[in-house]
Amino acid sequence: GIQDERLHEVQAVFVTLEKNRELCGCIGQLSPQMPLYEAVASMTIAAASEDQRFRPVSSVDLDQHQMTIRISILSPKERVLDATKIQPYTHGVMIIQGGKSGVYLPEVWDVPQFSGDKELFLNSLCRDKAGLPEDCWRGPHATLYVFTTQEFSRTYKRPSHGAYVQIAYGAQEKRGSDSKAPASESKMWRQMEEAWRFYQDNVSFLT
């Protein structure tokens, strides 16, 4: 079983999948709902099979393409009264207004169309993610929250015989210095990889 205490902490997690460096799935939890090791496994499969913006990841994708998995562990959300408190590249942002909501993770700041521009970032969050007027973040009826993430990523190239021939590992605080993954993170990855292999073995049933 999973023994490390940190992996039993109930934390919010997002899992992002990329195929050949292009987004192909992203699903997560804005509020903590389950232990970290369970959340990572669950969101890994959900991102591969349940993101309605993309077709499910298929066995062909797994055999023929480079797949990258990014795990983002979210800090508790903090309400901010206005956008001046939002720090580009550091904060993820959630907006709520009139029963609608949207969220962008911190890595979205890196998208070329934003390149750290706060106004463009927030306009898109309102318009494209929340379905709200793009300038609603300026008004008194919008509620803004910020959070940070700890991000981990691995890239896999899986040939038809099923072996991994390339594994690139990165673990760092968002916009922080590189660090070696402690044992608890290695265990988390093993749990995620069990879920990922389960998806690979059962992709025809899940999609």
Side-chain angles (χ1 to χ4, degrees), residues 41 61 91 124 143 165:
D61 296 325
H91 285 147
S124 176
T143 303
V165 296

Side-chain angles (χ1 to χ4, degrees), residues 32-100:
Q33 298 178 27
M34 61 184 72
L36 179 58
Y37 76 93
E38 292 183 5
V40 168
S42 178
M43 294 303 103
T44 298
I45 294 177
S49 58
E50 298 176 14
D51 190 332
Q52 299 300 312
R53 298 172 297 172
F54 307 96
R55 65 174 180 79
V57 175
S58 68
S59 57
V60 173
D61 296 325
L62 298 174
D63 284 339
Q64 299 183 6
H65 299 283
Q66 176 178 286
M67 300 296 299
T68 297
I69 305 175
R70 302 186 189 280
I71 298 171
S72 300
I73 303 174
L74 278 61
S75 71
K77 299 189 299 293
E78 178 183 353
R79 185 173 179 180
V80 293
L81 297 180
D82 59 68
T84 62
K85 304 295 185 181
I86 298 173
Q87 300 178 31
Y89 299 111
T90 298
H91 285 147
V93 183
M94 180 181 186
I95 189 166
I96 302 175
Q97 179 175 302
K100 295 183 178 181

Side-chain angles (χ1 to χ4, degrees), residues 41-177:
S42 178
M43 294 303 103
T44 298
I45 294 177
S49 58
E50 298 176 14
D51 190 332
Q52 299 300 312
R53 298 172 297 172
F54 307 96
R55 65 174 180 79
V57 175
S58 68
S59 57
V60 173
D61 296 325
L62 298 174
D63 284 339
Q64 299 183 6
H65 299 283
Q66 176 178 286
M67 300 296 299
T68 297
I69 305 175
R70 302 186 189 280
I71 298 171
S72 300
I73 303 174
L74 278 61
S75 71
K77 299 189 299 293
E78 178 183 353
R79 185 173 179 180
V80 293
L81 297 180
D82 59 68
T84 62
K85 304 295 185 181
I86 298 173
Q87 300 178 31
Y89 299 111
T90 298
H91 285 147
V93 183
M94 180 181 186
I95 189 166
I96 302 175
Q97 179 175 302
K100 295 183 178 181
S101 64
V103 61
Y104 273 159
L105 296 176
E107 53 261 39
V108 178
W109 290 103
D110 291 315
V111 173
Q113 71 190 74
F114 302 142
S115 298
D117 187 296
K118 188 183 295 187
E119 182 174 349
L120 293 177
F121 179 95
L122 293 174
N123 284 350
S124 176
L125 173 61
C126 295
R127 180 185 64 241
D128 302 324
K129 292 292 288 185
L132 293 164
E134 68 174 22
D135 61 349
C136 73
W137 57 273
R138 302 178 186 273
H141 303 297
T143 303
L144 292 168
Y145 294 91
V146 297
F147 57 89
T148 59
T149 63
Q150 187 177 19
E151 183 180 297
F152 311 89
S153 66
R154 274 185 175 177
T155 298
Y156 300 92
K157 175 61 179 175
R158 179 179 185 259
S160 57
H161 57 72
Y164 297 123
V165 296
Q166 176 185 350
I167 299 179
Y169 179 83
Q172 61 181 13
E173 293 287 345
K174 188 66 179 175
R175 292 290 168 182
S177 59

